[in-house]
Amino acid sequence: MTLAEGAQGGKLAERENKRRRDRIAVSAVFFLNGLGMATWVSRIPAVQERLGVGTGVLGLALLAIAVGALIAMPVTGWLAARWGNQRMASVGLVMLCAALPLAALATNAWLLGLALLLLGMGNGTVDVSQNAEAVEVEREWGSPIMSSFHALWSVGGVTGAALGGLLAQFGVSPILHLSVVAALVLTAGLAAARQMPPARAAGSNAHPGGAPLFTLPPPALLAIGAVAFCSMLTEGALSDWSGIYLHRNLHAGAGIAASGYAVFAGAMFAGRVAGDFLTHRFGPVRIVRWGGMLAAAGMAVALLVGQTWAALLGFALIGLGVAIIVPIAFSAAGNTPSMAPSAAIAAVSSTGYFGFLVGPPLIGFIAEVVTLRGALIVVALLCLLVSFLASSVSRVSDSPAH
């Protein structure tokens, strides 16, 4: 081996090690974000009991999380293009971790709402930053890996929920639990954020191509936003209405009804675990097209057969169908020409998150006019729309031919 060959080999090894470190750092932020949010969710019943508030008041307080996220996401996209995703992720982690003990310490619903507004802003800030970083890592990796990051967020969520349930069972107070988790997430999260790679557009008000950051979103980004909106509306609708459909329409028992969303979420997690392989093998356009069709078929099975087993099977098919669509949409948004990745992802994530929020009440309003079964047909139609818009995600970097 010549000296030149040895030096070249050393550079390749160094680059490979850096790619692995970058992926681990971003993966850690995804996991910790999921862990922190699920920790709060696991202690909601205890906080409600301590405050003595009803479900209506609690629902309004919880809405502050969504409001905070929707406020923070576009602002984060704008700031991250100038200050960098690492700095914005750190800011988001500080807000999220400060909000956790504040929510447990709240003495009334108003203070709880303010704490949850901060929690939502922190979560929205981290969400945009971590996805923008994931696009950078995926670009360097040379193959689709976005789905693995979202799978790790789910692992963090399951871990936080399981740990929260265990500690609640042993009578650990919410303030102690949330404070300890906040300290751990903040310490590990800030360390991971510092190791994330610098975004190409960081510190600049223009995308690398020289185009200004503030331009009207191109049509392709609008279509990607519609894909995210429909997919996350489907997720929101299933989270709130799957159990009610099983119980009221199919007369399933409480235990089976409660398992409806669990089946959907489990299938979605399984799909995300396999998502990177499938995206690399078939290409993002085919995955989104088939995923939308599979989800629509799953809803058709759940609604038309009229049996509990068919509904559960249908919910599993929906979970598998939509599992990879949002990660692919974020990846495609981050590679949109003429826009900084953080700004494009902020636009798509805000649109998708809005779909997640309006999905459940929209289904409820339609169900009042027709029936719940009729209202859920809307979800199937939106899944077909996702399939129709599949070509919009063809900008995923280094994807195979479609």
Side-chain angles (χ1 to χ4, degrees):
M1 178 184 295
T2 65
L3 290 177
E5 290 173 338
Q8 182 67 19
K11 289 181 179 178
L12 290 174
E14 183 180 352
R15 181 184 176 188
E16 183 65 23
N17 289 334
K18 182 181 183 303
R19 290 199 309 168
R20 286 200 185 95
R21 291 195 301 269
D22 292 345
R23 185 173 182 177
I24 291 171
V26 177
S27 297
V29 173
F30 269 86
F31 173 83
L32 292 167
N33 180 216
L35 175 66
M37 293 303 296
T39 297
W40 156 247
V41 172
S42 71
R43 304 316 300 261
I44 290 177
V47 172
Q48 180 187 18
E49 182 179 359
R50 185 176 65 82
L51 293 179
V53 297
T55 54
V57 173
L58 178 65
L60 288 175
L62 293 174
L63 185 61
I65 298 177
V67 173
L70 289 174
I71 291 172
M73 283 177 173
V75 175
T76 300
W78 181 72
L79 291 176
R82 288 160 167 71
W83 296 349
N85 295 312
Q86 307 97 317
R87 185 178 299 178
M88 294 309 300
S90 298
V91 169
L93 286 166
V94 170
M95 289 192 291
L96 189 154
C97 293
L100 288 176
L102 288 176
L105 288 170
T107 55
N108 56 57
W110 286 104
L111 292 176
L112 177 63
L114 289 175
L116 296 183
L117 181 69
L118 181 63
L119 180 67
M121 293 177 67
N123 183 51
T125 301
V126 175
D127 188 73
V128 171
S129 303
Q130 68 188 9
N131 277 289
E133 283 293 304
V135 168
E136 298 292 337
V137 174
E138 184 179 55
R139 185 180 290 126
E140 288 298 319
W141 201 262
S143 62
I145 59 172
M146 178 67 81
S147 186
S148 66
F149 293 121
H150 286 253
L152 279 170
W153 189 95
S154 298
V155 172
V158 171
T159 303
L163 180 61
L166 181 65
L167 294 179
Q169 186 71 23
F170 281 99
V172 177
S173 68
I175 180 60
L176 176 61
H177 176 200
L178 294 177
S179 296
V180 171
V181 170
L184 293 175
V185 169
L186 183 61
T187 302
L190 291 179
R194 283 195 295 268
Q195 298 301 315
M196 294 195 304
R200 292 192 307 179
S204 169
N205 59 2
H207 193 268
L213 173 65
F214 294 107
T215 59
L216 289 176
L221 188 62
L222 296 177
I224 295 169
V227 168
F229 176 87
C230 295
S231 300
M232 295 188 71
L233 188 150
T234 299
E235 184 179 348
L238 266 291
S239 68
D240 282 27
W241 292 104
S242 58
I244 295 175
Y245 175 73
L246 285 167
H247 184 62
R248 293 186 180 177
N249 291 69
L250 303 183
H251 310 293
I256 297 296
S259 68
Y261 181 70
V263 169
F264 167 78
M268 190 162 65
F269 171 69
R272 287 182 171 175
V273 169
D276 292 333
F277 169 78
L278 293 174
T279 304
H280 181 72
R281 175 67 178 82
F282 299 107
V285 172
R286 288 177 181 171
I287 291 297
V288 172
R289 182 175 294 126
W290 295 345
M293 294 174 65
L294 180 62
M299 184 58 75
V301 170
L303 298 178
L304 297 179
V305 176
Q307 298 292 326
T308 299
W309 66 266
L312 293 175
L313 173 61
F315 295 158
L317 293 177
I318 297 170
L320 289 172
V322 302
I324 323 173
I325 293 176
V326 169
I328 286 177
F330 284 170
S331 184
N335 288 281
T336 301
S338 79
M339 290 193 72
S342 57
I345 288 174
V348 170
S349 61
S350 299
T351 305
Y353 198 62
F354 182 69
F356 183 84
L357 294 178
V358 302
L362 177 64
I363 296 302
F365 292 145
I366 297 175
E368 285 291 324
V369 178
V370 288
T371 62
L372 179 56
R373 180 179 273 111
L376 290 174
I377 293 175
V378 173
V379 177
L381 295 177
L382 290 176
C383 292
L384 289 177
L385 179 59
V386 167
S387 183
F388 178 77
L389 295 172
S391 60
S392 65
V393 303
S394 61
R395 297 184 186 278
V396 176
S397 61
D398 295 314
S399 60
H402 315 307

